[in-house]
Amino acid sequence: MSKAAIRPRGAGRRSASWTQDPEGVRRSILDAARLEFVENGLSGARVDEIAARTATSKRMIYYYFGDKEGLYRAVLEEMYERIRAFERGLDLASLEPEEAMARLTGFTFDYHAENPDFVRMVMIENIHHGRHLATSDRIATLNLSGIDVIREAYGRGVASGVFRPGIEPIDIHLTISALAFYNVSNRASIRQVFGHDMGAPEALARRRESAIDTVLRMLRR
Amino acid sequence: MSKAAIRPRGAGRRSASWTQDPEGVRRSILDAARLEFVENGLSGARVDEIAARTATSKRMIYYYFGDKEGLYRAVLEEMYERIRAFERGLDLASLEPEEAMARLTGFTFDYHAENPDFVRMVMIENIHHGRHLATSDRIATLNLSGIDVIREAYGRGVASGVFRPGIEPIDIHLTISALAFYNVSNRASIRQVFGHDMGAPEALARRRESAIDTVLRMLRR
DNA sequence: GACCAAATGGACTAACCGGTACAATTAACA
DNA sequence: TGTTAATTGTACCGGTTAGTCCATTTGGTC
């Protein structure tokens, strides 16, 4: 500190050598940033804190992501890409309509329960009115298509007579999402206000069954 | 600015006189704070901005609320007290069980739709893991009892045979809340990702009916 | 092995922002 | 009317924080 202050700019000692690793550095920054943003939100997150969690320096954050918001956007985009990959991994077309819907609901519920980081990030982005989703090209071309899966299974169910007609696929999706999302997003307030722990294994299991049952009852004749 | 800088501390000109109005000042600060917190979150909110929206000065914020978090907590508490008043205002005991549940769901849905500020504040508080709810005495003695209303109506419904037995009242509450809450909380992300506006009048109306229908189907034999 | 673009480090800064010091005024009440 | 606690205004401060400047090293290419 004392000597550094009188050394000419940028003339400080540095570790003898290092190896370049652009992808590793990028990855390291993104991981650190995810932790920090998910915990503290966009304005609550500290760039210095992210840098500290990283193997590299703050300088690199700005080198690769431009500014704090650019980094935030990158984290957000990656998380949406992951859930999209999850959705594409679902293979429900071969199942009976009821079974397909039950599985979709269960898997969606599980994905949210197992990825609270994703839930928190979506909450944070909604607080910001979806401003960063709106300005993201990667998100624009993402084509989140849980809806297509739903449309297909629901259509088959209506055709075979097990489901009642007249429901919009988007409404099915919203119901499934609401039940899965809320269970994670509002865990803290529910616990404080009702003393009920939605994260407890038995509560979670009961809630999962309830969600599946609720969706099926909503769809049946 | 120029002359002010060389004037002794606190010796600045002030408006000739003023009338004391503690309650008015408090009210004014709380209203300004609600706008700012709800829009920007706890860490995103600026005390100077709140002060600017107020009829009074920043000094008063610290005088009445101690610090930024104290003010945040006061806003949070007031919003929870309001929804509690709403819940107590519901008179469902005189209705048939199905009608009571339908009304409760509809009213809850409407309350959330009409009070996005409340929804946003709860989101923000959940991001903070409910830390401020936990340290609030006013919340601790609040006794949010939508649950009691549910237990009563559900019990009657089971007794009269229209509802199936074995459902926990808290689960009924969670289902209702999830459907009502999600519709407001995730509006922005749903719009960006699916191009669907949950806030549009017709979408809102359809969603409201869907929520009521879903809850009743969940409860019926 | 000379050259150069990409990648990296460390110190530094300007603005911002929560919170405070000091002084003054008001209003209740004896 | 004098006293005093409650209330209010203005200027200011110290720490924090996003972002930058300058220099240096790496590693591919010809």
Side-chain angles (χ1 to χ4, degrees):
Chain A
M1 288 300 158
S2 44
K3 284 178 72 176
I6 54 170
R7 267 206 301 265
R9 276 190 168 189
R13 275 277 78 66
R14 62 188 54 187
S15 43
S17 72
W18 76 89
T19 43
Q20 293 189 356
D21 180 16
E23 271 321 298
V25 168
R26 249 190 126 82
R27 179 76 267 137
S28 165
I29 292 174
L30 278 173
D31 288 340
R34 178 167 44 79
L35 291 179
E36 177 74 4
F37 282 128
V38 150
E39 190 53 36
N40 303 309
L42 174 52
S43 33
R46 297 289 160 247
V47 178
D48 283 298
E49 186 57 32
I50 294 172
R53 292 191 209 239
T54 298
T56 61
S57 69
K58 182 160 67 155
R59 177 69 184 76
M60 289 296 93
I61 292 174
Y62 292 94
Y63 183 71
Y64 283 116
F65 299 97
D67 58 12
K68 191 184 181 184
E69 291 211 11
L71 178 54
Y72 170 86
R73 193 180 309 117
V75 170
L76 185 65
E77 286 166 343
E78 193 177 53
M79 294 188 115
Y80 266 98
E81 278 162 6
R82 272 189 208 168
I83 195 176
R84 185 214 181 191
F86 162 79
E87 283 183 349
R88 283 199 305 180
L90 293 178
D91 181 29
L92 306 176
S94 60
L95 300 175
E96 290 300 306
E98 284 197 308
E99 179 63 15
M101 286 300 186
R103 288 254 189 121
L104 174 62
T105 305
F107 284 154
T108 302
F109 190 93
D110 292 342
Y111 187 88
H112 284 73
E114 289 162 12
N115 294 278
D117 280 6
F118 169 72
V119 173
R120 290 175 65 85
M121 201 71 184
V122 174
M123 292 168 74
I124 291 164
E125 179 58 8
N126 271 289
I127 290 294
H128 291 280
H129 301 286
R131 180 164 33 109
H132 311 88
L133 284 174
T135 58
S136 163
D137 296 338
R138 279 165 74 189
I139 296 287
T141 63
L142 198 56
N143 190 18
L144 261 274
S145 52
I147 303 289
D148 294 334
V149 178
I150 289 173
R151 178 176 290 111
E152 192 271 335
Y154 172 65
R156 284 192 291 127
V158 171
S160 77
V162 295
F163 292 159
R164 65 195 170 104
I167 307 180
E168 293 288 332
I170 183 79
D171 280 323
I172 301 172
H173 169 80
L174 292 178
T175 298
I176 295 173
S177 273
L179 295 172
F181 195 94
Y182 185 86
N183 202 261
V184 179
S185 67
N186 286 44
R187 216 169 259 187
S189 60
I190 293 293
R191 193 163 84 89
Q192 295 304 331
V193 173
F194 296 108
H196 180 258
D197 182 8
M198 292 197 291
E202 69 276 9
L204 205 57
R206 208 175 64 219
R207 201 82 202 107
R208 186 183 194 275
E209 290 316 302
S210 170
I212 295 174
D213 187 56
T214 297
V215 170
L216 290 181
R217 282 169 174 263
M218 166 193 176
L219 295 172
R220 290 191 189 121
R221 284 198 168 276
Chain B
M1 286 297 157
S2 44
K3 284 178 71 176
I6 54 170
R7 267 208 300 265
R9 276 193 169 187
R13 272 281 75 68
R14 62 189 54 185
S15 43
S17 71
W18 77 87
T19 45
Q20 293 190 357
D21 181 16
E23 270 321 298
V25 168
R26 250 190 126 83
R27 178 77 268 136
S28 165
I29 292 174
L30 278 172
D31 289 340
R34 178 167 43 81
L35 291 179
E36 177 73 5
F37 282 128
V38 150
E39 189 55 36
N40 303 309
L42 174 52
S43 34
R46 297 291 157 247
V47 177
D48 283 299
E49 186 57 32
I50 295 172
R53 291 192 211 239
T54 299
T56 61
S57 69
K58 183 161 65 156
R59 177 71 183 72
M60 289 295 92
I61 293 174
Y62 292 94
Y63 183 71
Y64 283 116
F65 299 97
D67 58 11
K68 191 185 182 182
E69 291 211 11
L71 178 55
Y72 171 85
R73 194 181 309 120
V75 170
L76 186 65
E77 288 166 343
E78 193 177 52
M79 296 189 114
Y80 265 98
E81 279 163 4
R82 272 189 208 167
I83 194 175
R84 186 213 178 193
F86 162 80
E87 282 183 352
R88 282 200 305 179
L90 292 178
D91 181 28
L92 306 176
S94 62
L95 300 175
E96 290 300 305
E98 284 197 310
E99 179 62 16
M101 286 298 187
R103 288 255 189 121
L104 175 61
T105 305
F107 284 154
T108 302
F109 190 93
D110 293 342
Y111 187 88
H112 284 73
E114 289 163 13
N115 294 277
D117 280 5
F118 169 72
V119 173
R120 290 175 65 85
M121 201 71 184
V122 174
M123 293 167 75
I124 291 164
E125 180 57 10
N126 270 289
I127 290 294
H128 292 280
H129 301 287
R131 180 163 32 107
H132 310 89
L133 284 175
T135 57
S136 163
D137 296 337
R138 279 165 73 187
I139 297 287
T141 63
L142 200 57
N143 190 18
L144 261 275
S145 51
I147 305 289
D148 293 335
V149 177
I150 289 173
R151 179 175 291 113
E152 192 271 337
Y154 172 65
R156 283 192 291 129
V158 171
S160 78
V162 294
F163 293 159
R164 65 194 171 103
I167 309 179
E168 293 288 332
I170 184 79
D171 280 322
I172 301 172
H173 170 79
L174 292 178
T175 299
I176 294 173
S177 273
L179 295 172
F181 195 94
Y182 185 86
N183 201 260
V184 179
S185 67
N186 287 45
R187 216 169 261 185
S189 61
I190 294 293
R191 192 164 86 89
Q192 295 304 330
V193 172
F194 297 107
H196 179 259
D197 181 9
M198 292 198 290
E202 70 277 10
L204 205 57
R206 207 175 64 220
R207 202 81 203 109
R208 186 184 194 276
E209 291 315 303
S210 171
I212 295 173
D213 187 55
T214 298
V215 170
L216 290 181
R217 282 169 175 263
M218 165 193 177
L219 295 172
R220 289 191 189 120
R221 283 200 166 275

